[in-house]
Amino acid sequence: MTRRWTLRYEARPWTMNTSRGRTAHWAQEAARTRDWRTAFGLLAFAEGVPPLERVHITVHHECRTARLADCGAIAPAAKAAVDGLRDAGIIPDDDPRHVLSLTFTAHRKTGVDALTIEIEEAT
């Protein structure tokens, strides 16, 4: 039986893009990345995710509007989430020996801004 955990964090924004199509200031990017990384580490701890040697991770982006965000724009948040798992001791490293796959799903309009990651233990 494969074990799975779902971690969901509601925050805004999930991309580094601004409303005018430019990237945010480096300090804003660093603060967002730190927030995402810390949040997912704490969520993993709160959900009782045990240390895992190898995992498959799926990232779901939810948005409150119909405006589509491409998967590449969500990648920095996903990277921060995986780093948060590493910081929390859930995975030893985020290299290909431990994170066997990192999959992005298509954007979904749900009425909230959220990033959900599903962690599946690889056997």
Side-chain angles (χ1 to χ4, degrees), residues 38 45 56 63 80-81 88-89 93 106 116 122:
T38 302
F45 181 75
H56 297 282
C63 192
D93 201 353
T116 302

Side-chain angles (χ1 to χ4, degrees), residues 16 23-34:
M16 295 297 182
T23 58
H25 185 272
W26 67 266
Q28 291 174 316
E29 289 181 12
R32 286 182 197 164
T33 300
R34 184 177 50 253

Side-chain angles (χ1 to χ4, degrees), residues 54-97:
R54 298 174 347 141
V55 296
H56 297 282
I57 297 175
T58 304
V59 179
H60 304 280
H61 174 237
E62 301 172 34
C63 192
R64 62 188 172 94
T65 66
R67 186 167 182 239
L68 298 178
D70 59 276
C71 288
I74 305 307
K79 170 66 173 151
V82 173
D83 286 343
L85 296 178
R86 192 189 65 218
D87 294 345
I90 305 303
I91 53 175
D93 201 353
D94 58 351
D95 62 17
R97 292 175 298 165

